Amino acid sequence: MPSRIIEGDLSAKGLRFALVVGRFNSFISERLLAGALDALTRTGCPDDAIEIVRVPGSWEMPVVVRELAGQKRHDAIICLGAVIRGDTPHFDYVAGEAAKGIGQAAAESGIPVAFGVLTCNTVEQAVDRAGGKGGNKGFDAAMTAIEMAQLMRRLRQG
Ligand code: INI
């Protein structure tokens, strides 16, 4: 048996969060936001520890995440958006750059960033994952952010 296991718990008490929410496909991203807020409040996060930052679309998320992470005012950042495939290659550029840029900002800053951006082939797939039969990926992203924020706190305490 390992002598020491380090992991984050699922309490949001004492943590501060920024939620970066895309306006594009807002009928989906607002449901993801509702799920994320539900997770945060149920796990003990007060309203005044939550900031919501709205951006035009998922493409704009990396620069905003980088700015927020640099300010070091939050224990974790949660990105919420929906990229839905259309008839052109636009989807691939937006989804690819959002994923890459958000991941880079997290890795370079040391602030955990949850990727609650749906990348779906159809509107139906997005609806399923935003409170439908596939659960709510906004809720899941917030739970991941809580666990990661607690884990980073523990790792830094040594
Ligand atoms: N933004 C999204 O978040 N989801 C999409 O599905 C999407 N599509 O399909 O175009 C989208 N485009 C907008 C993009 O994020 C930028 O806001 C826009 O290109 C201006 O920079």
Side-chain angles (χ1 to χ4, degrees):
M1 277 292 282
S3 59
R4 196 171 176 219
I5 295 171
I6 308 171
E7 60 187 354
D9 64 35
L10 293 176
S11 167
K13 287 194 189 83
L15 299 175
R16 292 155 302 152
F17 296 90
L19 293 89
V20 179
V21 186
R23 283 206 189 86
F24 207 98
N25 291 325
S26 64
F27 68 106
I28 298 293
S29 58
E30 290 302 315
R31 294 184 200 184
L32 298 173
L33 174 60
L37 292 173
D38 185 30
L40 293 178
T41 52
R42 279 212 228 173
T43 52
C45 190
D47 286 353
D48 63 6
I50 301 170
E51 273 180 17
I52 297 172
V53 182
R54 293 194 190 276
V55 295
S58 301
W59 175 271
E60 281 73 30
M61 289 181 182
V63 67
V64 171
V65 168
R66 200 169 279 266
E67 172 62 29
L68 289 168
Q71 294 179 3
K72 302 215 176 293
R73 294 187 298 112
H74 308 95
D75 296 287
I77 298 169
I78 303 162
C79 292
L80 302 168
V83 194
I84 302 175
R85 195 180 287 282
D87 295 332
T88 72
H90 195 66
F91 169 97
D92 300 294
Y93 292 105
V94 174
E97 287 304 309
K100 194 173 73 189
I102 291 167
Q104 276 173 358
E108 287 165 17
S109 67
I111 307 274
V113 183
F115 189 64
V117 178
L118 301 180
T119 54
C120 297
N121 290 323
T122 64
V123 170
E124 189 188 14
Q125 286 176 348
V127 169
D128 284 348
R129 290 160 179 75
K133 65 181 184 223
N136 187 314
K137 299 297 178 193
F139 186 99
D140 297 349
M143 295 303 282
T144 297
I146 295 162
E147 180 176 345
M148 284 299 296
Q150 293 286 11
L151 174 60
M152 297 303 275
R153 189 170 270 194
R154 267 187 206 159
L155 288 172
R156 284 171 187 144
Q157 279 165 356

